[in-house]
Amino acid sequence: AEMTRDSVLSHIPGHPWAKNVLVLEEVGSTNTLLKSMALQGAPQGTVLIASRQTAGRGRLGRTFLSPDGVGVYLSALIRPNVAAEQLMHLTCAAAVAMCNAVEAASGIRPKIKWTNDLVIGNRKLGGILTELVFADGAVSGAIIGIGINCRQKPEDFDSSIRDMATSLSM
């Protein structure tokens, strides 16, 4: 089924962030775009969801492959009024929340590979990329980026990662 704003909102009726959910067919990176939007004043609770990313990113400059219609690729903006040191556990909290969400949606409970990968067995199901947004030398927001492999088949993964990656359908 095609992902639309209405189809996404149907799963979160009445959620206070619903008015700030944007669904895009294609984006370079949801994190990169949302970081730019945050610097331009986007409110807390702005969420970007894309059907595909052409420049999905992971930790340490790695690529996160994000082909059309087979995964969940989203970024959420929060604006906690705290120092950067107080956000040290944000990625871990997001990982636990994503394990809960994947289990609720699929019945499959991934594990967390410290601290930003979701794994089933020894294979990566998805990842979390948390980035802080700074303005005037202080934290003005945090972007929580999430990518989950849902419908990929083994042959959909590049040969370089095929033995390390998995999806919910696999």
Side-chain angles (χ1 to χ4, degrees), residues 5 8-21 44-47 76-78:
R5 186 171 189 278
V8 169
L9 295 183
S10 73
H11 295 284
I12 56 168
H15 194 284
W17 290 6
K19 67 183 181 298
N20 298 322
V21 172
Q44 167 157 292
T46 298
V47 177
L77 170 63
I78 61 171

Side-chain angles (χ1 to χ4, degrees), residues 136-152:
D136 301 320
V139 173
S140 72
I143 309 289
I144 304 165
I146 296 162
I148 303 289
N149 299 327
C150 297
R151 295 188 194 140
Q152 289 91 335

